[in-house]
């Protein structure tokens, strides 16, 4: 049976206390949110932190709130709530779609959005739609508070710009322009409890109901050390009138922008081909949503 | 160092002193004797350890007992009313949805939570709600039929 190594457990009651505690414990402490990533790693013997700091009792970091037309999401919000909440389903349907295919219902009832971001797995489900919608993360430490755009947060597998002592408190998404839509498709060997073979999130903003594409984003997941933007494919969209042919073309470009590896879930060549297919499909889905269909 | 926590299990409050590295599954089984909660994989993959915490089914092998201090927990022992089985339990027996029984506690708790929220689930909704609970015996079909039948029984 998997047993957990020993550790001390702290449960700060507010964010100030948490920051103070983390700075006192220096590198020996880890934050525990839902624990669905951390406890697995500890049970497998990959990690043995001396102390864990539970952030579940800190007020103000588990809510979804509208702010100036945009949305602020507390880092400790469980992923199932992204599936359930009307505000997210209506205003950020691409995020609730991605949340609905993460792990299993049991995992989603514990796992948090903050944990999904900070663990920085190359195949994590929530970063792609969040990057597509221009999310920023708010990081708080004893000395300062800063905001980092999510597409500059990741460095590589398991690595981010977060510093020891910093807590991710909120994910902020500004008001989206009108005629914006998004889509996320995760290719899996089965429908639940599965990590993506390839996943793509796309977002399109039109300059009018039948207008040209003003902004387009394509985020590829599971095909590089971190979620990446298919920058050249995105460029090919701007100023163009949306069409099947255009999306096909963007997919072909995107397939050349990824650097997947061969592993048990799929070969690199297959993954590149699927990037092309999913890019086209998610762009079509994003277009339908942008037009309000 | 041990921490003193309170767990409200099946509507009864228990005060226990636990080491922080003990999971909810371990404390329920080893300290409180709720052996209906099973442990299969220990890492979130199988759902045998499913219990309901504050209304939501979770993998108790991936929850520290100290994290749920003060929470209301339902284990399989809390599903029947005395000797009277819950409709989901009755249906599982009637439809042959139990073979070895190792997945059953978790299956029933996931199914019961679904039916508490949605009294008339479709087949895809049933399969999705149970998708974190693996069964190596039944092939799932009888389980899905049992949940469907339980929904009918609960409406009467
Ligand atoms: C069976 C199973 C299936 C899974 N399937 C998927 C899947 O399909 N897709 C997917 O993306 N993931 C999956 N996961 C991984 C995991 O569940 C998710 O990544 C989850 O979102 C992690 O969140 P958590 O709250 O449990 O994080 P934790 O395990 O609590 O923490 C993860 C890491 O983030 C740090 N951290 C957490 N919160 C903060 C914060 N607010 N500030 C700073 N640091 C923080 C922790 O210190 C830790 O290093 C799966 C896990 C399991 C067990
Ligand atoms: S024992 Fe908890 S999920 Fe398998
Ligand atoms: S009855 Fe044996 S695992 Fe389900």
């Amino acid at each position: 049976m998997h047993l957990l190594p020993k550790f001390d457990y702290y449960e700060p009651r507010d964010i100030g206390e948490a920051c103070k505690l983390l700075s006192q414990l220096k590198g020996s402490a880890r934050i525990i949110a839902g624990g669905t990533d951390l406890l697995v790693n500890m049970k497998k013997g990959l990690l043995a932190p001396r102390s864990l700091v539970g952030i579940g009792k800190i007020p103000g970091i588990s809510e979804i709130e509208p702010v100036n037309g945009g949305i602020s999401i507390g880092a400790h919000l469980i992923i199932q709530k992204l599936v359930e909440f009307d505000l997210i389903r209506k205003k950020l349907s691409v995020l609730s779609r991605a949340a609905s295919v993460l792990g299993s219902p049991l995992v989603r009832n514990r796992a948090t959005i903050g944990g999904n971001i900070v663990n920085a797995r190359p195949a994590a489900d929530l970063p792609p739609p969040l990057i597509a919608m221009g999310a920023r993360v708010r990081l708080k430490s004893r000395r300062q508070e800063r905001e980092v755009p999510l597409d500059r947060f990741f460095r590589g597998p398991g690595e981010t710009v977060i510093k020891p002592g910093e807590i991710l408190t909120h994910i902020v998404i500004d008001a989206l322009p009108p005629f914006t839509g998004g889509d996320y498709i995760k290719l899996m060997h089965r429908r639940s409890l599965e990590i993506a073979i390839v996943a793509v999130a796309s977002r399109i903003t039109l300059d009018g109901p039948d207008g040209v594409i003003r902004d387009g984003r394509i985020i590829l997941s599971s095909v590089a050390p971190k979620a990446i933007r298919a920058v050249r494919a995105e460029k090919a969209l701007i100023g163009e009138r949306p069409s099947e042919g255009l999306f096909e073309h963007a997919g072909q470009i995107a397939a050349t922008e990824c650097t997947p590896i061969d592993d048990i879930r799929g070969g690199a060549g297959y993954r590149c081909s699927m990037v092309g297919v999913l890019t086209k499909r998610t762009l079509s889905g994003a277009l339908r949503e942008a037009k309000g269909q | 160092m041990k921490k003193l926590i309170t767990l409200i299990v099946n509507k009864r409050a228990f005060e226990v002193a636990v080491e922080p590295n003990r999971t909810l599954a371990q404390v329920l089984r080893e300290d409180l004797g709720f052996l209906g909660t099973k442990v299969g994989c220990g890492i979130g993959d199988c759902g045998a350890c499913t219990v309901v915490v504050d209304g939501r089914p979770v993998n108790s092998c991936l929850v520290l007992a100290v994290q749920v201090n003060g929470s209301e927990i339902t284990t399989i022992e809390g599903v029947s009313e005395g000797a009277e089985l819950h409709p989901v339990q009755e249906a599982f027996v009637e439809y042959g949805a139990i073979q070895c029984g190792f997945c059953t506690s978790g299956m029933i708790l996931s199914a019961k939570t679904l039916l508490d929220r949605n009294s008339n689930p479709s087949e895809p909704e049933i399969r999705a709600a149970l998708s974190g609970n693996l069964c190596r015996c039944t092939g799932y079909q009888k389980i899905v039929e049992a949940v469907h039948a339980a929904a009918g029984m609960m409406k009467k």
Side-chain angles (χ1 to χ4, degrees):
Chain A
M1 197 165 96
H2 294 282
L3 292 174
L4 285 166
K6 281 202 183 270
F7 51 83
D8 292 325
Y9 182 72
Y10 300 89
E11 210 162 59
R13 272 155 303 166
D14 59 51
I15 198 80
E17 198 188 320
C19 291
K20 202 167 137 197
L21 198 56
L22 286 172
S23 90
Q24 279 164 357
L25 296 168
K26 303 228 163 55
S28 70
R30 278 263 182 172
I31 290 173
I32 179 166
T36 60
D37 184 62
L38 186 64
L39 295 179
V40 172
N41 286 334
M42 287 172 66
K43 283 189 171 188
K44 289 185 174 166
L46 302 173
L47 281 175
R50 196 133 21 101
S51 329
L52 292 188
V53 177
I55 57 172
K57 298 271 154 48
I58 297 176
I61 60 166
S62 306
E63 290 84 19
I64 296 179
E65 281 166 324
V67 277
N68 309 325
I71 295 178
S72 160
I73 304 174
H76 204 268
L77 186 91
I78 58 165
I79 287 169
Q80 183 60 23
K81 291 197 177 170
L82 297 172
V83 183
E84 291 170 4
F85 272 37
D86 266 357
L87 185 66
I88 302 292
R89 291 165 71 106
K90 290 203 183 103
K91 287 201 160 179
L92 274 177
S93 63
V94 61
L95 183 60
S96 45
R97 210 165 303 145
S100 74
V101 291
L102 185 147
S104 73
L106 305 170
V107 172
R108 295 196 285 276
N109 279 338
R110 286 298 294 176
T112 64
I113 178 172
N116 196 247
I117 293 171
V118 178
N119 76 12
R121 288 199 197 189
D125 279 300
L126 304 186
L130 286 169
I131 294 172
M133 294 306 177
R136 287 169 282 130
V137 289
R138 196 171 293 156
L139 306 172
K140 193 162 167 44
S141 67
R142 200 166 175 197
R143 297 228 153 62
Q144 64 161 357
E145 186 169 69
R146 58 180 181 138
E147 275 192 7
V148 180
L150 193 57
D151 67 352
R152 276 189 255 141
F153 180 75
F154 300 106
R155 285 199 163 131
E159 286 187 33
T160 72
V161 301
I162 204 164
K163 297 190 199 119
E166 274 185 323
I167 303 176
L168 169 56
T169 61
H170 294 88
I171 297 95
V172 187
I173 298 143
D174 288 336
L176 293 165
F179 311 112
T180 295
D183 196 11
Y184 179 73
I185 301 181
K186 175 184 185 181
L187 186 67
M188 303 184 266
H189 287 293
R190 52 179 185 185
R191 257 180 275 171
S192 195
L193 281 168
E194 184 65 300
I195 301 297
I197 307 167
V198 178
V200 178
S202 289
R203 169 254 178 103
I204 277 184
T205 299
L206 301 173
D207 72 355
D210 293 305
V212 298
I213 298 171
R214 211 175 76 189
D215 193 359
R217 298 216 185 153
I218 301 166
I219 289 82
L220 314 178
S221 176
S222 272
V223 288
K226 54 181 186 171
I228 54 165
R229 285 176 67 174
V231 183
R232 283 188 294 117
E234 288 178 356
K235 272 204 189 114
L237 298 171
I238 310 298
E240 299 291 331
R241 212 158 273 287
S243 71
E244 282 273 304
L246 178 70
F247 293 164
E248 175 95 43
H249 178 58
Q252 281 163 2
I253 301 175
T256 66
E257 294 188 76
C258 54
T259 53
I261 54 167
D262 290 309
D263 70 11
I264 48 160
R265 284 193 285 273
Y270 173 69
R271 285 192 154 119
C272 290
S273 308
M274 290 306 106
V275 162
V277 173
L278 298 188
T279 298
K280 184 182 166 193
R281 285 191 196 160
T282 50
L283 284 170
S284 306
L287 177 66
R288 275 194 299 278
E289 199 176 89
K291 290 182 156 192
Q293 289 163 355
Chain B
M1 206 179 66
K2 284 193 175 177
K3 300 226 175 213
L4 195 62
I5 61 167
T6 307
L7 300 177
I8 302 154
V9 186
N10 304 330
K11 305 208 168 85
R12 233 184 95 192
F14 293 87
E15 264 203 3
V16 257
V18 296
E19 288 288 345
N21 70 342
R22 288 171 63 78
T23 63
L24 177 58
Q26 283 175 306
V27 172
L28 286 172
R29 287 179 56 84
E30 295 163 14
D31 297 16
L32 304 181
F34 292 103
L35 295 171
T37 305
K38 302 301 175 195
V39 176
C41 65
I43 50 169
D45 285 324
C46 75
C49 63
T50 304
V51 301
V52 182
V53 176
D54 296 329
R56 292 181 180 273
V58 304
N59 299 307
S60 65
C61 71
L62 287 186
V63 177
L64 301 176
V66 289
Q67 283 182 294
V68 290
N69 184 8
S71 290
E72 297 218 14
I73 292 150
T74 306
T75 68
I76 189 66
E77 289 88 347
V79 174
S80 59
E81 298 273 347
E84 187 151 337
L85 294 184
H86 186 276
V88 177
Q89 292 174 305
E90 253 179 67
F92 266 60
V93 174
E94 197 175 315
Y95 282 75
I98 305 171
Q99 286 186 26
C100 79
F102 204 78
C103 70
T104 308
S105 309
M107 284 288 179
I108 288 179
L109 288 165
S110 286
K112 179 182 175 294
T113 319
L114 167 71
L115 297 179
D116 288 344
R117 288 174 175 224
N118 177 353
S119 59
N120 194 18
S122 64
E123 186 182 329
E125 282 171 337
I126 294 173
R127 288 188 185 271
L130 300 181
S131 63
N133 297 88
L134 302 192
C135 176
R136 308 191 76 180
C137 304
T138 66
Y140 301 101
Q141 188 56 31
K142 287 173 190 290
I143 292 176
V144 174
E145 285 165 14
V147 178
H148 196 73
M153 285 155 71
M154 284 167 76
K155 256 179 267 163
K156 277 178 206 150

